[in-house]
Amino acid sequence: MQQQQAGIAGNEIKRIAVVGTGVIGASWVAYYLARGLDVSATDPMPDAERKLRDAVARHWPSLETLGLAPGASMQRLRFFDKLEDALDGADFVQENGPEREDLKIDLFQRMDAALPAHVILASSSSGLLMSKVQAACRHPQRVVLGHPFNPPHLIPLVEVIGGQLTSDAAVQAALAFYTAVGKKAIHVRKEVKGHIANRLQAALWREAFHLVEQGVASTEDIDTAIAYGPGLRWALMGPYLNLHLAGGEGGARHALDHLGPPIESWWADLGTPAITESLKELIREGVDGQMEGKTSAELAAERDRLLVELLVAKAGAKVIP
């Protein structure tokens, strides 16, 4: 008997089950509500419902500025203590549980048993491989990774990846759904640790840690170099289109012909630091100095305000993708 293919068309998904409502899960809940969807949420932690509703209320003004979908309302959120109750009637699941493989496998096994085979089970995992997570499911073909970037209610990126047993139909349905609700969804074609964006971040962090460890720069110097240098361009276009512009009329090929040798020499000189206790303390001291007179809440609020302004500006762009 042929297994039913996973996936409902993106515009037919009306109810989302959000499993796990910590920082990432709460952000997802706010975003889905802002897109006019019904959300059923669950989390076993004490006082989870109050914390979730408080988080959604904090995120709502930013989402209002970006523009709410017709019917969007915080009142369309329901919270359930029991996982199976939250899953009842769901058209799509966004899971945000702890980053432990054994817990994920058990959780997906329970979700798989509770839902019809066509409902996609998407994980927000930042590092686990879906091939392992889906192994215990009766319907592994509908298990995908839908990895957001923090905070999901503002950052558009979602990385969609299938495991070895995931059907192409499920991957395409997930891509279509995320795109339909306004996300910039990309298909990661092979399972790799950390997916795409986190690997790129890790590459930058490696050299940032090395430069601080070697006394080349302070943590503040590094942050200034990125935030007021290439980071400004990267917020508008990715590294390849920036490379194209660097080549002038000759484009990316001209840039590589001229910059290729020095870039290769820099690659050969990059550091390979270990995150030792001494390096951790060095970074902590540097960041504590940067945070003097500020709170993390103030910094996050300012970040979110500027992100909203940037997203509004980018929405009006005619050429920049």
Side-chain angles (χ1 to χ4, degrees), residues 207-226 279 282-283 286 290:
E207 188 59 17
F209 293 169
H210 173 69
L211 293 173
V212 168
E213 184 181 48
Q214 296 299 310
V216 175
S218 67
T219 60
E220 185 172 9
D221 292 333
I222 297 292
D223 279 356
T224 300
I226 295 300
L279 179 56
L282 193 60
I283 291 171
Q290 290 178 256

Short mmCIF file of all heavy atoms in Angstrom, two decimals, residues 207-226 279 282-283 286 290:
data_model
loop_
_atom_site.label_atom_id
_atom_site.label_comp_id
_atom_site.label_asym_id
_atom_site.label_seq_id
_atom_site.Cartn_x
_atom_site.Cartn_y
_atom_site.Cartn_z
N GLU A 207 36.96 33.33 13.21
CA GLU A 207 38.00 34.33 13.03
C GLU A 207 37.86 35.48 14.04
O GLU A 207 38.86 36.03 14.50
CB GLU A 207 37.98 34.87 11.60
CG GLU A 207 39.16 35.78 11.26
CD GLU A 207 40.53 35.11 11.43
OE1 GLU A 207 40.59 33.85 11.51
OE2 GLU A 207 41.53 35.84 11.49
N ALA A 208 36.60 35.81 14.41
CA ALA A 208 36.40 36.85 15.42
C ALA A 208 37.00 36.43 16.75
O ALA A 208 37.64 37.24 17.44
CB ALA A 208 34.91 37.14 15.58
N PHE A 209 36.82 35.17 17.13
CA PHE A 209 37.42 34.66 18.37
C PHE A 209 38.94 34.64 18.27
O PHE A 209 39.65 35.00 19.22
CB PHE A 209 36.91 33.25 18.67
CG PHE A 209 35.44 33.17 19.02
CD1 PHE A 209 34.80 31.94 19.09
CD2 PHE A 209 34.69 34.31 19.27
CE1 PHE A 209 33.46 31.84 19.40
CE2 PHE A 209 33.34 34.23 19.59
CZ PHE A 209 32.72 32.99 19.65
N HIS A 210 39.45 34.24 17.10
CA HIS A 210 40.89 34.16 16.90
C HIS A 210 41.53 35.55 17.03
O HIS A 210 42.57 35.71 17.69
CB HIS A 210 41.18 33.57 15.52
CG HIS A 210 42.63 33.61 15.13
ND1 HIS A 210 43.59 32.82 15.74
CD2 HIS A 210 43.29 34.34 14.20
CE1 HIS A 210 44.77 33.06 15.21
NE2 HIS A 210 44.62 33.98 14.26
N LEU A 211 40.93 36.56 16.42
CA LEU A 211 41.49 37.90 16.45
C LEU A 211 41.51 38.48 17.86
O LEU A 211 42.45 39.18 18.25
CB LEU A 211 40.72 38.82 15.50
CG LEU A 211 40.85 38.50 14.01
CD1 LEU A 211 39.91 39.38 13.19
CD2 LEU A 211 42.29 38.67 13.54
N VAL A 212 40.48 38.19 18.64
CA VAL A 212 40.46 38.64 20.04
C VAL A 212 41.50 37.88 20.85
O VAL A 212 42.24 38.47 21.64
CB VAL A 212 39.04 38.45 20.64
CG1 VAL A 212 39.07 38.64 22.16
CG2 VAL A 212 38.07 39.43 20.00
N GLU A 213 41.57 36.58 20.64
CA GLU A 213 42.52 35.74 21.39
C GLU A 213 43.96 36.18 21.13
O GLU A 213 44.80 36.19 22.04
CB GLU A 213 42.34 34.28 21.00
CG GLU A 213 43.20 33.30 21.78
CD GLU A 213 42.97 31.87 21.32
OE1 GLU A 213 42.98 31.63 20.09
OE2 GLU A 213 42.78 31.01 22.18
N GLN A 214 44.24 36.57 19.88
CA GLN A 214 45.60 36.97 19.51
C GLN A 214 45.91 38.43 19.82
O GLN A 214 47.01 38.91 19.56
CB GLN A 214 45.83 36.71 18.01
CG GLN A 214 45.75 35.24 17.61
CD GLN A 214 46.80 34.40 18.31
OE1 GLN A 214 47.99 34.75 18.30
NE2 GLN A 214 46.38 33.31 18.92
N GLY A 215 44.95 39.14 20.37
CA GLY A 215 45.17 40.54 20.73
C GLY A 215 45.16 41.49 19.55
O GLY A 215 45.60 42.64 19.66
N VAL A 216 44.62 41.04 18.41
CA VAL A 216 44.54 41.90 17.23
C VAL A 216 43.47 42.96 17.41
O VAL A 216 43.61 44.10 16.94
CB VAL A 216 44.26 41.06 15.97
CG1 VAL A 216 44.05 41.94 14.74
CG2 VAL A 216 45.38 40.06 15.73
N ALA A 217 42.39 42.60 18.08
CA ALA A 217 41.25 43.51 18.23
C ALA A 217 40.48 43.17 19.51
O ALA A 217 40.55 42.05 20.01
CB ALA A 217 40.33 43.41 17.02
N SER A 218 39.73 44.15 20.01
CA SER A 218 38.83 43.91 21.13
C SER A 218 37.49 43.42 20.60
O SER A 218 37.22 43.49 19.39
CB SER A 218 38.62 45.21 21.92
OG SER A 218 37.90 46.15 21.13
N THR A 219 36.63 42.95 21.49
CA THR A 219 35.30 42.54 21.05
C THR A 219 34.55 43.72 20.45
O THR A 219 33.82 43.58 19.47
CB THR A 219 34.48 41.95 22.22
OG1 THR A 219 34.34 42.92 23.26
CG2 THR A 219 35.13 40.68 22.77
N GLU A 220 34.75 44.91 21.02
CA GLU A 220 34.09 46.10 20.48
C GLU A 220 34.62 46.45 19.10
O GLU A 220 33.85 46.86 18.21
CB GLU A 220 34.28 47.28 21.44
CG GLU A 220 33.51 48.52 21.00
CD GLU A 220 33.54 49.62 22.04
OE1 GLU A 220 34.29 49.50 23.03
OE2 GLU A 220 32.80 50.62 21.86
N ASP A 221 35.92 46.30 18.89
CA ASP A 221 36.50 46.55 17.56
C ASP A 221 35.87 45.61 16.52
O ASP A 221 35.55 46.04 15.41
CB ASP A 221 38.02 46.31 17.58
CG ASP A 221 38.77 47.34 18.42
OD1 ASP A 221 38.27 48.47 18.57
OD2 ASP A 221 39.85 46.99 18.93
N ILE A 222 35.74 44.34 16.89
CA ILE A 222 35.16 43.36 15.96
C ILE A 222 33.72 43.74 15.63
O ILE A 222 33.31 43.74 14.45
CB ILE A 222 35.21 41.95 16.57
CG1 ILE A 222 36.65 41.49 16.80
CG2 ILE A 222 34.46 40.96 15.67
CD1 ILE A 222 37.46 41.27 15.56
N ASP A 223 32.93 44.06 16.65
CA ASP A 223 31.54 44.43 16.41
C ASP A 223 31.44 45.67 15.53
O ASP A 223 30.59 45.75 14.63
CB ASP A 223 30.82 44.66 17.74
CG ASP A 223 30.38 43.36 18.39
OD1 ASP A 223 30.57 42.29 17.78
OD2 ASP A 223 29.85 43.41 19.52
N THR A 224 32.30 46.66 15.78
CA THR A 224 32.28 47.87 14.96
C THR A 224 32.67 47.56 13.52
O THR A 224 32.05 48.08 12.57
CB THR A 224 33.25 48.92 15.55
OG1 THR A 224 32.83 49.25 16.87
CG2 THR A 224 33.27 50.19 14.70
N ALA A 225 33.68 46.71 13.35
CA ALA A 225 34.14 46.36 12.00
C ALA A 225 33.03 45.73 11.17
O ALA A 225 32.89 46.02 9.97
CB ALA A 225 35.34 45.41 12.09
N ILE A 226 32.22 44.88 11.80
CA ILE A 226 31.13 44.23 11.07
C ILE A 226 29.92 45.14 10.94
O ILE A 226 29.38 45.36 9.85
CB ILE A 226 30.74 42.91 11.76
CG1 ILE A 226 31.90 41.91 11.71
CG2 ILE A 226 29.49 42.30 11.10
CD1 ILE A 226 32.34 41.54 10.30
N LEU A 279 39.62 31.95 26.86
CA LEU A 279 39.00 32.69 25.76
C LEU A 279 37.57 33.10 26.14
O LEU A 279 37.14 34.23 25.85
CB LEU A 279 38.99 31.86 24.48
CG LEU A 279 38.34 32.52 23.25
CD1 LEU A 279 38.98 33.87 22.95
CD2 LEU A 279 38.44 31.60 22.04
N LEU A 282 37.88 36.09 28.31
CA LEU A 282 38.30 37.25 27.53
C LEU A 282 37.12 37.87 26.80
O LEU A 282 36.94 39.10 26.77
CB LEU A 282 39.39 36.83 26.54
CG LEU A 282 40.20 37.93 25.84
CD1 LEU A 282 40.93 38.80 26.86
CD2 LEU A 282 41.19 37.29 24.87
N ILE A 283 36.29 37.01 26.20
CA ILE A 283 35.12 37.50 25.47
C ILE A 283 34.09 38.07 26.44
O ILE A 283 33.48 39.13 26.18
CB ILE A 283 34.52 36.37 24.61
CG1 ILE A 283 35.49 36.04 23.46
CG2 ILE A 283 33.15 36.76 24.07
CD1 ILE A 283 35.12 34.81 22.67
N GLY A 286 35.13 41.49 27.53
CA GLY A 286 34.94 42.46 26.45
C GLY A 286 33.49 42.85 26.28
O GLY A 286 33.16 44.05 26.16
N GLN A 290 31.26 46.41 26.77
CA GLN A 290 30.38 46.98 25.76
C GLN A 290 28.97 47.23 26.30
O GLN A 290 28.28 48.15 25.84
CB GLN A 290 30.28 46.03 24.55
CG GLN A 290 31.54 45.93 23.72
CD GLN A 290 31.37 44.95 22.58
OE1 GLN A 290 31.88 43.83 22.63
NE2 GLN A 290 30.65 45.35 21.55
#
